[in-house]
Amino acid sequence: MTLKGKTALVTGSTSGIGLGIAQVLAQAGANIVLNGFGDPAPAIAQIKHQGVEAIHHPADLSNIRQIEQLFAAAERAFGAVDILVNNAGIQHVAPVEQFPVEAWDKIIALNLSAVFHGSRLVLPGMRERGWGRIVNIASVHGLVGSTGKAAYVAAKHGVVGLTKVIGLETATSNITCNAICPGWVLTPLVQKQIDDRAANGGDAQQAQHDLLAEKQPSLAFVTPQHLGELVLFLCSEAGSQVRGAAWNVDGGWLAQ
Ligand code: NAD
């Protein structure tokens, strides 16, 4: 399929899953709005290499004003956002009674509220143009819990709920909203959890194996490319009646 002439905004796309998804959408011809922290130059170069246009905006998505500036910049550059991938997210691991209040607030703001704000900002333009796709990168933790991840699990369950509501509110239009629920993907976010395990004794290789073995029966990581290809499917005509879904890509995690 071709996304030529369409613009995709992928939040948190300077690394990890977001960059992988942006890469697949660029390969399909979409112009890309990148967002996220760190030096954006390598990501911009990678995307432009596909022969599409790319800009980067450094908005901190835990700040509503900066979210609004990101979407205004995207509209200024490309005139529209046709595909919104709400991907940016962070993690903090601690039991509830020790969970830092600031970490709770930050995770809810970024992992949940920013999904609401992005969606409310793109929907009017999508309705005007009569086409749009919103894809929320939730998690298996949008469907089941794990110890130590109170804010993350609460936020991701919220994203799955929000996805259903937007899926319903757009059901008679050519706009769809769906969530993708990945299991373990080897990105900086997960590498940190592997490093934390290794720091408690044992080597990194063993920590990685144990992390997978606890939850993911395939014993293999999902890749950003796998997730990008699913986003592409959701953008296609074949995906046009997938609405309000929470689609797990998890090496069998939720089959147990
Ligand atoms: P990552 O840490 O590799 O990338 C996160 C991206 O978000 C980076 O570009 C970072 O700069 C950006 N970011 C962080 N805080 C931000 C903020 N306040 N404002 C704007 N951008 C910000 O993480 P990842 O593993 O690629 O995770 C991406 C998404 O996938 C997250 O929502 C995460 O919850 C979800 N997810 C990841 C996994 C996994 O195993 N890695 C599994 C399920 C779901």
Coordinates of all heavy atoms in Angstrom, one line a residue, residues 35-134:
N35 N 9.0 13.1 17.1 CA 9.0 13.8 18.4 C 9.7 12.9 19.4 O 9.8 11.7 19.2 CB 7.5 14.0 18.8 CG 7.4 14.1 20.4 OD1 6.9 13.1 21.0 ND2 7.7 15.2 20.9
G36 N 10.3 13.6 20.4 CA 11.0 12.8 21.4 C 12.3 13.5 21.8 O 12.7 14.5 21.2
F37 N 12.9 13.0 22.9 CA 14.1 13.6 23.4 C 15.4 13.0 22.7 O 15.3 12.1 22.0 CB 14.2 13.4 24.9 CG 13.0 13.9 25.7 CD1 12.6 13.3 26.9 CD2 12.3 15.0 25.2 CE1 11.5 13.8 27.6 CE2 11.2 15.6 25.9 CZ 10.8 14.9 27.1
G38 N 16.5 13.7 23.0 CA 17.8 13.2 22.5 C 18.0 13.9 21.1 O 17.2 14.6 20.6
D39 N 19.2 13.6 20.6 CA 19.6 14.2 19.3 C 18.7 13.6 18.2 O 18.7 12.3 17.9 CB 21.0 13.8 19.0 CG 21.5 14.3 17.7 OD1 20.7 15.1 17.0 OD2 22.6 14.0 17.2
P40 N 17.9 14.4 17.5 CA 17.0 13.8 16.5 C 17.6 13.6 15.1 O 17.0 13.0 14.3 CB 15.9 14.9 16.4 CG 16.6 16.2 16.7 CD 17.7 15.9 17.7
A41 N 18.9 14.1 15.0 CA 19.5 14.0 13.7 C 19.6 12.6 13.1 O 19.2 12.4 11.9 CB 20.9 14.6 13.7
P42 N 20.0 11.6 13.8 CA 20.0 10.2 13.2 C 18.6 9.7 12.8 O 18.5 9.2 11.7 CB 20.6 9.3 14.3 CG 21.2 10.2 15.3 CD 20.5 11.6 15.2
A43 N 17.6 10.0 13.6 CA 16.3 9.6 13.2 C 15.8 10.3 11.9 O 15.2 9.7 11.0 CB 15.3 9.8 14.4
I44 N 16.0 11.6 11.9 CA 15.6 12.4 10.7 C 16.3 11.9 9.5 O 15.7 11.7 8.4 CB 15.9 13.9 10.9 CG1 15.1 14.5 12.0 CG2 15.7 14.7 9.6 CD1 15.4 16.0 12.4
A45 N 17.6 11.6 9.6 CA 18.4 11.1 8.4 C 17.8 9.8 7.9 O 17.6 9.6 6.7 CB 19.9 11.0 8.8
Q46 N 17.5 8.9 8.9 CA 17.0 7.6 8.6 C 15.7 7.7 7.9 O 15.4 7.0 6.9 CB 16.8 6.9 9.9 CG 16.8 5.3 9.9 CD 16.8 4.8 11.3 OE1 17.5 5.2 12.2 NE2 15.9 3.8 11.5
I47 N 14.8 8.6 8.3 CA 13.5 8.8 7.7 C 13.6 9.4 6.3 O 13.0 8.9 5.3 CB 12.6 9.6 8.6 CG1 12.3 9.0 9.9 CG2 11.2 9.9 7.9 CD1 11.7 7.6 9.9
K48 N 14.4 10.5 6.2 CA 14.6 11.2 4.9 C 15.2 10.2 3.9 O 15.0 10.4 2.6 CB 15.4 12.4 5.1 CG 14.6 13.5 5.7 CD 15.3 14.9 5.6 CE 14.4 16.0 6.0 NZ 15.1 17.3 6.2
H49 N 16.0 9.3 4.3 CA 16.6 8.3 3.4 C 15.5 7.5 2.6 O 15.8 7.0 1.5 CB 17.4 7.3 4.3 CG 18.2 6.4 3.4 ND1 19.3 6.8 2.7 CD2 18.2 5.0 3.3 CE1 19.8 5.7 2.0 NE2 19.1 4.7 2.4
Q50 N 14.3 7.5 3.1 CA 13.2 6.8 2.4 C 12.6 7.7 1.3 O 11.6 7.4 0.7 CB 12.1 6.4 3.4 CG 12.5 5.6 4.6 CD 13.2 4.3 4.1 OE1 12.8 3.7 3.1 NE2 14.2 3.9 4.9
G51 N 13.1 9.0 1.2 CA 12.6 9.9 0.1 C 11.4 10.6 0.5 O 10.7 11.1 -0.4
V52 N 11.1 10.7 1.8 CA 10.0 11.5 2.3 C 10.5 12.7 3.1 O 11.6 12.8 3.4 CB 9.0 10.6 3.2 CG1 8.5 9.4 2.4 CG2 9.7 10.2 4.4
E53 N 9.5 13.6 3.4 CA 9.9 14.7 4.2 C 9.7 14.4 5.7 O 8.9 13.6 6.1 CB 8.9 15.9 4.0 CG 9.0 16.5 2.6 CD 10.4 17.1 2.3 OE1 11.0 17.7 3.2 OE2 10.9 16.8 1.2
A54 N 10.6 15.0 6.5 CA 10.5 14.7 8.0 C 10.9 15.9 8.7 O 11.8 16.7 8.4 CB 11.5 13.6 8.4
I55 N 10.1 16.2 9.8 CA 10.5 17.3 10.7 C 10.5 16.6 12.1 O 9.9 15.6 12.4 CB 9.6 18.5 10.7 CG1 8.2 18.1 11.1 CG2 9.6 19.2 9.4 CD1 7.3 19.3 11.6
H56 N 11.2 17.3 13.1 CA 11.2 16.9 14.5 C 10.8 18.0 15.3 O 11.1 19.2 15.1 CB 12.6 16.4 14.9 CG 12.8 16.2 16.4 ND1 13.2 17.2 17.2 CD2 12.4 15.1 17.1 CE1 13.2 16.7 18.5 NE2 12.7 15.5 18.4
H57 N 9.9 17.7 16.3 CA 9.6 18.7 17.3 C 9.8 18.1 18.7 O 9.4 17.0 19.0 CB 8.1 19.1 17.2 CG 7.7 20.3 18.0 ND1 7.5 20.2 19.4 CD2 7.5 21.6 17.6 CE1 7.2 21.4 19.8 NE2 7.2 22.3 18.8
P58 N 10.5 18.9 19.6 CA 11.0 18.3 20.9 C 10.0 18.4 22.0 O 10.4 18.3 23.2 CB 12.2 19.1 21.2 CG 11.9 20.5 20.6 CD 11.0 20.2 19.4
A59 N 8.7 18.5 21.7 CA 7.7 18.7 22.8 C 7.8 17.7 23.9 O 7.9 16.5 23.6 CB 6.3 18.7 22.2
D60 N 7.7 18.2 25.1 CA 7.6 17.3 26.3 C 6.1 17.0 26.4 O 5.3 17.9 26.8 CB 8.2 17.9 27.5 CG 8.0 17.1 28.8 OD1 7.1 16.1 28.7 OD2 8.6 17.3 29.8
L61 N 5.7 15.8 26.2 CA 4.3 15.5 26.1 C 3.6 15.3 27.5 O 2.4 15.0 27.5 CB 4.0 14.2 25.2 CG 4.6 14.3 23.8 CD1 4.2 13.1 23.0 CD2 4.1 15.6 23.1
S62 N 4.3 15.6 28.5 CA 3.7 15.6 29.8 C 3.2 17.0 30.1 O 2.7 17.3 31.2 CB 4.6 15.1 30.9 OG 5.8 15.9 31.0
N63 N 3.4 17.9 29.1 CA 3.0 19.3 29.2 C 2.0 19.7 28.1 O 2.3 19.6 26.9 CB 4.3 20.2 29.1 CG 4.0 21.7 29.2 OD1 3.2 22.2 28.4 ND2 4.7 22.3 30.1
I64 N 0.8 20.0 28.5 CA -0.3 20.2 27.6 C 0.0 21.3 26.5 O -0.2 21.2 25.3 CB -1.6 20.6 28.3 CG1 -2.0 19.4 29.2 CG2 -2.7 20.9 27.3 CD1 -3.3 19.8 30.1
R65 N 0.6 22.4 27.0 CA 1.0 23.5 26.1 C 1.9 23.1 25.0 O 1.8 23.4 23.9 CB 1.6 24.6 27.0 CG 2.0 25.9 26.4 CD 1.0 27.0 26.5 NE 1.3 28.1 25.6 CZ 1.0 28.1 24.3 NH1 0.3 27.1 23.8 NH2 1.4 29.1 23.5
Q66 N 2.9 22.2 25.4 CA 3.9 21.7 24.5 C 3.3 20.8 23.5 O 3.6 20.7 22.3 CB 5.1 21.1 25.2 CG 5.9 22.2 25.9 CD 7.2 21.6 26.4 OE1 7.9 20.8 25.8 NE2 7.7 22.1 27.6
I67 N 2.3 20.0 24.0 CA 1.6 19.1 23.0 C 0.9 19.9 22.0 O 0.9 19.6 20.8 CB 0.5 18.2 23.8 CG1 1.2 17.3 24.8 CG2 -0.3 17.4 22.8 CD1 0.2 16.5 25.7
E68 N 0.2 21.0 22.4 CA -0.5 21.9 21.4 C 0.5 22.5 20.4 O 0.2 22.6 19.2 CB -1.3 22.9 22.2 CG -2.4 22.3 22.9 CD -3.2 23.3 23.9 OE1 -2.7 24.4 24.2 OE2 -4.3 22.9 24.3
Q69 N 1.7 22.8 20.9 CA 2.7 23.4 20.0 C 3.2 22.4 19.0 O 3.4 22.7 17.8 CB 3.9 23.9 20.8 CG 3.6 25.2 21.6 CD 4.6 25.6 22.6 OE1 5.5 24.8 23.0 NE2 4.5 26.7 23.2
L70 N 3.3 21.1 19.4 CA 3.7 20.0 18.5 C 2.7 19.9 17.4 O 3.1 19.8 16.2 CB 3.8 18.7 19.3 CG 3.8 17.4 18.5 CD1 5.1 17.3 17.6 CD2 3.8 16.2 19.4
F71 N 1.4 19.8 17.7 CA 0.4 19.6 16.7 C 0.3 20.9 15.8 O 0.1 20.7 14.6 CB -0.9 19.2 17.3 CG -0.9 17.7 17.7 CD1 -0.4 17.4 18.9 CD2 -1.3 16.7 16.8 CE1 -0.3 16.0 19.3 CE2 -1.2 15.4 17.2 CZ -0.7 15.1 18.5
A72 N 0.5 22.0 16.4 CA 0.4 23.3 15.5 C 1.6 23.3 14.5 O 1.5 23.6 13.4 CB 0.5 24.5 16.4
A73 N 2.8 22.8 15.0 CA 4.0 22.7 14.1 C 3.8 21.7 13.0 O 4.2 22.0 11.8 CB 5.2 22.4 15.0
A74 N 3.1 20.6 13.3 CA 2.9 19.6 12.3 C 1.9 20.1 11.2 O 2.2 20.0 10.0 CB 2.3 18.3 12.9
E75 N 0.9 20.8 11.7 CA -0.1 21.4 10.7 C 0.6 22.5 9.8 O 0.4 22.6 8.6 CB -1.2 22.1 11.5 CG -2.1 21.1 12.2 CD -3.4 20.8 11.5 OE1 -3.9 21.7 10.8 OE2 -4.0 19.7 11.7
R76 N 1.5 23.3 10.5 CA 2.2 24.3 9.7 C 3.1 23.7 8.6 O 3.1 24.2 7.5 CB 3.1 25.2 10.7 CG 2.4 26.4 11.2 CD 3.4 27.4 11.7 NE 4.4 26.9 12.6 CZ 4.2 26.6 13.9 NH1 3.0 26.9 14.4 NH2 5.1 26.1 14.7
A77 N 3.8 22.6 9.0 CA 4.7 22.0 8.1 C 4.0 21.2 7.0 O 4.5 21.3 5.8 CB 5.7 21.1 8.9
F78 N 3.0 20.5 7.3 CA 2.4 19.6 6.3 C 0.9 19.8 6.0 O 0.3 19.1 5.2 CB 2.6 18.1 6.8 CG 4.0 17.7 6.8 CD1 4.6 17.4 8.1 CD2 4.8 17.7 5.7 CE1 6.0 17.0 8.1 CE2 6.2 17.3 5.8 CZ 6.7 16.9 7.0
G79 N 0.3 20.7 6.8 CA -1.1 21.0 6.5 C -2.1 20.1 7.1 O -3.3 20.4 7.1
A80 N -1.6 19.0 7.6 CA -2.6 18.0 8.2 C -1.8 16.9 9.0 O -0.6 16.7 8.7 CB -3.3 17.3 7.0
V81 N -2.5 16.2 9.9 CA -2.0 15.0 10.4 C -3.0 13.9 10.1 O -4.1 14.0 10.6 CB -1.8 15.1 12.0 CG1 -1.3 13.7 12.5 CG2 -0.7 16.1 12.3
D82 N -2.7 13.0 9.2 CA -3.6 12.0 8.8 C -3.5 10.7 9.7 O -4.5 10.0 9.8 CB -3.3 11.6 7.3 CG -3.3 12.8 6.4 OD1 -4.4 13.3 6.2 OD2 -2.2 13.1 5.9
I83 N -2.3 10.5 10.2 CA -2.1 9.3 11.0 C -1.4 9.7 12.3 O -0.3 10.4 12.2 CB -1.2 8.3 10.2 CG1 -1.8 7.8 8.9 CG2 -0.8 7.1 11.1 CD1 -0.8 7.2 7.9
L84 N -2.0 9.4 13.4 CA -1.4 9.7 14.7 C -1.0 8.4 15.4 O -1.9 7.6 15.6 CB -2.3 10.6 15.6 CG -1.9 10.7 17.0 CD1 -0.6 11.5 17.1 CD2 -3.0 11.5 17.8
V85 N 0.2 8.3 15.7 CA 0.6 7.1 16.5 C 1.1 7.6 17.9 O 2.1 8.3 18.0 CB 1.8 6.3 15.8 CG1 2.1 5.1 16.7 CG2 1.4 5.9 14.4
N86 N 0.2 7.4 18.9 CA 0.5 7.8 20.2 C 1.4 6.7 20.8 O 0.9 5.7 21.3 CB -0.8 7.9 21.0 CG -1.6 9.2 20.7 OD1 -1.0 10.3 20.7 ND2 -2.8 9.0 20.3
N87 N 2.7 7.0 20.8 CA 3.7 6.0 21.2 C 4.5 6.3 22.5 O 4.9 5.4 23.2 CB 4.6 5.7 20.1 CG 5.8 4.9 20.5 OD1 5.8 3.7 20.7 ND2 6.9 5.6 20.7
A88 N 4.8 7.6 22.7 CA 5.7 8.0 23.8 C 5.2 7.4 25.1 O 4.0 7.5 25.4 CB 5.8 9.5 23.9
G89 N 6.2 6.8 25.8 CA 5.8 6.3 27.1 C 7.0 6.0 28.0 O 8.1 5.9 27.5
I90 N 6.8 6.0 29.3 CA 7.9 5.8 30.2 C 7.4 4.8 31.3 O 6.2 4.5 31.4 CB 8.4 7.1 31.0 CG1 7.2 7.8 31.5 CG2 9.2 7.9 30.0 CD1 7.6 9.0 32.5
Q91 N 8.4 4.2 32.0 CA 8.1 3.2 33.0 C 8.8 3.6 34.3 O 9.8 4.3 34.3 CB 8.7 1.9 32.5 CG 8.6 0.7 33.4 CD 7.1 0.3 33.7 OE1 6.4 0.9 34.5 NE2 6.7 -0.8 33.0
H92 N 8.2 3.2 35.4 CA 8.9 3.2 36.7 C 8.4 2.0 37.5 O 7.2 1.7 37.5 CB 8.5 4.5 37.5 CG 9.3 4.7 38.8 ND1 10.5 5.3 38.8 CD2 9.1 4.2 40.0 CE1 11.0 5.3 40.0 NE2 10.2 4.6 40.8
V93 N 9.3 1.3 38.1 CA 9.0 0.1 38.8 C 9.2 0.2 40.3 O 10.4 0.5 40.8 CB 9.9 -1.1 38.3 CG1 9.5 -2.4 39.0 CG2 9.7 -1.2 36.8
A94 N 8.2 0.1 41.1 CA 8.2 0.1 42.6 C 6.9 -0.3 43.1 O 5.8 -0.2 42.4 CB 8.5 1.6 43.1
P95 N 6.9 -0.9 44.3 CA 5.6 -1.3 44.9 C 4.7 -0.1 45.2 O 5.3 1.0 45.4 CB 6.0 -2.1 46.2 CG 7.4 -2.0 46.3 CD 8.0 -1.3 45.1
V96 N 3.4 -0.3 45.2 CA 2.5 0.9 45.4 C 2.9 1.8 46.6 O 2.9 3.0 46.5 CB 1.0 0.4 45.5 CG1 0.1 1.5 46.0 CG2 0.5 -0.2 44.2
E97 N 3.2 1.1 47.7 CA 3.4 2.0 48.9 C 4.7 2.7 48.9 O 4.9 3.6 49.7 CB 3.2 1.1 50.2 CG 4.1 0.0 50.4 CD 3.7 -1.3 49.7 OE1 3.1 -1.3 48.7 OE2 4.0 -2.4 50.3
Q98 N 5.6 2.3 47.9 CA 6.8 3.1 47.8 C 6.9 3.9 46.5 O 7.9 4.5 46.1 CB 8.0 2.2 47.8 CG 8.3 1.6 49.2 CD 9.0 0.2 49.2 OE1 9.6 -0.1 48.2 NE2 8.7 -0.6 50.2
F99 N 5.8 3.9 45.8 CA 5.8 4.5 44.4 C 5.8 6.0 44.5 O 5.0 6.6 45.1 CB 4.5 4.1 43.6 CG 4.7 4.0 42.2 CD1 5.0 2.8 41.5 CD2 4.5 5.1 41.4 CE1 5.2 2.8 40.2 CE2 4.8 5.1 40.0 CZ 5.1 3.9 39.4
P100 N 6.9 6.6 44.0 CA 7.0 8.1 44.1 C 5.8 8.8 43.4 O 5.5 8.5 42.3 CB 8.3 8.4 43.4 CG 9.0 7.1 43.2 CD 8.0 6.1 43.2
V101 N 5.2 9.7 44.2 CA 4.0 10.4 43.7 C 4.3 11.2 42.4 O 3.5 11.2 41.4 CB 3.5 11.4 44.7 CG1 2.4 12.3 44.2 CG2 3.0 10.6 46.0
E102 N 5.6 11.7 42.3 CA 5.9 12.5 41.0 C 6.0 11.5 39.8 O 5.6 11.9 38.7 CB 7.3 13.2 41.1 CG 7.5 14.0 42.4 CD 7.7 13.2 43.6 OE1 8.4 12.2 43.6 OE2 7.0 13.5 44.7
A103 N 6.5 10.3 40.1 CA 6.6 9.3 39.0 C 5.1 8.9 38.6 O 4.9 8.7 37.4 CB 7.4 8.1 39.5
W104 N 4.2 8.7 39.5 CA 2.8 8.4 39.2 C 2.3 9.5 38.3 O 1.7 9.2 37.2 CB 2.0 8.3 40.5 CG 0.5 8.2 40.2 CD1 -0.3 9.3 40.0 CD2 -0.3 7.0 39.9 NE1 -1.6 8.8 39.7 CE2 -1.6 7.4 39.7 CE3 0.0 5.7 40.0 CZ2 -2.6 6.5 39.4 CZ3 -1.0 4.8 39.7 CH2 -2.3 5.2 39.4
D105 N 2.4 10.8 38.7 CA 1.9 11.9 37.9 C 2.4 12.0 36.5 O 1.7 12.2 35.6 CB 2.1 13.2 38.7 CG 1.2 13.4 39.9 OD1 0.2 12.6 40.0 OD2 1.5 14.2 40.8
K106 N 3.7 11.8 36.4 CA 4.4 11.9 35.2 C 4.0 10.8 34.2 O 3.7 11.0 33.0 CB 6.0 11.8 35.4 CG 6.8 12.0 34.2 CD 7.4 13.4 34.2 CE 8.1 13.7 32.9 NZ 8.5 15.1 32.7
I107 N 3.9 9.6 34.7 CA 3.4 8.4 33.9 C 2.0 8.6 33.4 O 1.7 8.4 32.2 CB 3.7 7.1 34.6 CG1 5.2 6.8 34.7 CG2 3.0 5.9 33.9 CD1 5.5 5.6 35.6
I108 N 1.1 9.0 34.3 CA -0.3 9.2 33.9 C -0.3 10.4 32.8 O -1.0 10.2 31.8 CB -1.2 9.6 35.1 CG1 -1.2 8.4 36.1 CG2 -2.6 9.9 34.7 CD1 -1.7 7.1 35.6
A109 N 0.4 11.4 33.1 CA 0.4 12.5 32.1 C 0.9 12.1 30.7 O 0.3 12.4 29.7 CB 1.3 13.7 32.6
L110 N 2.0 11.4 30.7 CA 2.6 11.0 29.4 C 1.9 9.8 28.8 O 1.5 9.8 27.6 CB 4.1 10.7 29.6 CG 4.8 10.3 28.3 CD1 4.8 11.4 27.2 CD2 6.3 9.9 28.6
N111 N 1.8 8.7 29.5 CA 1.3 7.5 29.0 C -0.2 7.5 28.7 O -0.7 6.7 27.9 CB 1.6 6.3 29.9 CG 3.1 6.0 30.0 OD1 3.9 6.9 29.7 ND2 3.5 4.9 30.5
L112 N -1.0 8.3 29.4 CA -2.4 8.3 29.3 C -2.9 9.7 28.8 O -3.5 9.8 27.7 CB -3.1 7.9 30.6 CG -4.7 8.0 30.6 CD1 -5.2 7.1 29.4 CD2 -5.2 7.6 31.9
S113 N -2.7 10.8 29.5 CA -3.3 12.1 29.2 C -2.9 12.6 27.8 O -3.7 13.1 27.1 CB -3.0 13.1 30.3 OG -3.6 12.7 31.5
A114 N -1.6 12.3 27.5 CA -1.1 12.8 26.2 C -1.8 12.1 25.0 O -2.0 12.7 23.9 CB 0.4 12.6 26.1
V115 N -2.3 10.9 25.2 CA -3.0 10.2 24.2 C -4.4 10.9 24.0 O -4.8 11.1 22.8 CB -3.2 8.7 24.6 CG1 -4.0 7.9 23.5 CG2 -1.9 8.0 24.9
F116 N -5.0 11.3 25.1 CA -6.3 12.0 25.0 C -6.0 13.4 24.3 O -6.8 13.7 23.3 CB -6.8 12.3 26.4 CG -7.8 13.4 26.5 CD1 -9.1 13.3 25.9 CD2 -7.5 14.6 27.1 CE1 -10.0 14.4 26.0 CE2 -8.4 15.7 27.2 CZ -9.6 15.6 26.6
H117 N -5.0 14.1 24.7 CA -4.7 15.4 24.1 C -4.4 15.3 22.6 O -5.0 16.1 21.8 CB -3.6 16.2 24.8 CG -4.0 16.5 26.2 ND1 -5.1 17.4 26.5 CD2 -3.5 16.2 27.4 CE1 -5.2 17.5 27.8 NE2 -4.3 16.8 28.4
G118 N -3.6 14.4 22.2 CA -3.2 14.2 20.8 C -4.5 13.9 20.0 O -4.7 14.5 18.9
S119 N -5.3 13.0 20.5 CA -6.5 12.6 19.8 C -7.5 13.8 19.6 O -8.0 14.0 18.5 CB -7.2 11.4 20.6 OG -6.2 10.4 20.7
R120 N -7.7 14.5 20.7 CA -8.7 15.6 20.6 C -8.2 16.7 19.6 O -8.9 17.4 19.0 CB -9.0 16.2 22.0 CG -7.9 17.1 22.6 CD -8.3 17.7 23.9 NE -7.2 18.4 24.5 CZ -6.7 19.6 24.2 NH1 -7.3 20.3 23.3 NH2 -5.6 20.1 24.8
L121 N -6.8 16.8 19.5 CA -6.3 17.8 18.6 C -6.3 17.4 17.1 O -6.4 18.2 16.3 CB -4.9 18.2 19.0 CG -4.8 18.9 20.4 CD1 -3.3 19.0 20.9 CD2 -5.3 20.4 20.2
V122 N -6.2 16.1 16.9 CA -6.2 15.7 15.4 C -7.6 15.4 14.9 O -7.8 15.4 13.7 CB -5.3 14.4 15.1 CG1 -3.8 14.8 15.3 CG2 -5.7 13.2 15.9
L123 N -8.5 15.0 15.8 CA -9.8 14.5 15.3 C -10.6 15.6 14.4 O -11.1 15.2 13.3 CB -10.7 14.1 16.4 CG -10.4 12.6 16.8 CD1 -11.1 12.2 18.1 CD2 -10.8 11.6 15.7
P124 N -10.6 16.9 14.8 CA -11.4 17.8 13.9 C -10.8 17.8 12.5 O -11.6 17.8 11.5 CB -11.1 19.2 14.6 CG -10.9 18.8 16.0 CD -10.1 17.5 16.0
G125 N -9.5 17.8 12.3 CA -8.9 17.8 10.9 C -9.2 16.5 10.2 O -9.5 16.5 9.0
M126 N -9.2 15.4 10.9 CA -9.5 14.1 10.3 C -10.9 14.1 9.8 O -11.3 13.7 8.7 CB -9.2 13.0 11.3 CG -7.7 12.7 11.5 SD -7.5 11.4 12.7 CE -5.7 11.2 12.7
R127 N -11.8 14.6 10.7 CA -13.3 14.6 10.3 C -13.5 15.5 9.1 O -14.2 15.2 8.2 CB -14.1 15.1 11.5 CG -14.2 14.1 12.6 CD -15.4 14.4 13.5 NE -15.4 13.6 14.7 CZ -15.9 12.4 14.9 NH1 -16.4 11.8 13.8 NH2 -15.9 11.8 16.0
E128 N -12.8 16.7 9.1 CA -12.9 17.6 7.9 C -12.5 17.0 6.6 O -13.1 17.1 5.6 CB -12.0 18.8 8.2 CG -12.6 20.2 7.9 CD -11.6 21.2 8.4 OE1 -11.7 21.6 9.6 OE2 -10.8 21.7 7.6
R129 N -11.4 16.2 6.7 CA -10.8 15.6 5.5 C -11.4 14.2 5.2 O -11.2 13.6 4.1 CB -9.3 15.5 5.6 CG -8.6 16.8 5.5 CD -7.1 16.6 5.6 NE -6.6 15.9 6.8 CZ -6.4 16.6 8.0 NH1 -6.6 17.9 8.0 NH2 -6.1 15.9 9.1
G130 N -12.2 13.7 6.2 CA -12.9 12.4 5.9 C -12.1 11.2 6.0 O -12.5 10.1 5.5
W131 N -10.9 11.3 6.6 CA -10.0 10.1 6.7 C -9.1 10.3 7.9 O -8.5 11.4 8.0 CB -9.3 9.8 5.4 CG -8.6 8.4 5.4 CD1 -9.2 7.3 4.9 CD2 -7.3 8.0 5.9 NE1 -8.3 6.2 5.0 CE2 -7.1 6.7 5.6 CE3 -6.3 8.7 6.5 CZ2 -6.0 5.9 6.0 CZ3 -5.1 8.0 6.9 CH2 -5.0 6.6 6.6
G132 N -8.8 9.2 8.6 CA -7.8 9.3 9.6 C -7.5 8.0 10.3 O -8.4 7.1 10.3
R133 N -6.4 7.9 10.9 CA -6.0 6.7 11.7 C -5.3 7.2 13.0 O -4.4 7.9 12.9 CB -5.0 5.8 10.9 CG -5.6 5.2 9.7 CD -6.6 4.1 10.0 NE -7.1 3.4 8.9 CZ -8.2 3.7 8.2 NH1 -8.9 4.7 8.6 NH2 -8.6 3.0 7.2
I134 N -5.9 6.7 14.1 CA -5.2 6.9 15.4 C -4.8 5.5 15.9 O -5.6 4.6 16.0 CB -6.1 7.6 16.4 CG1 -6.5 9.0 15.9 CG2 -5.4 7.7 17.8 CD1 -7.5 9.7 16.8

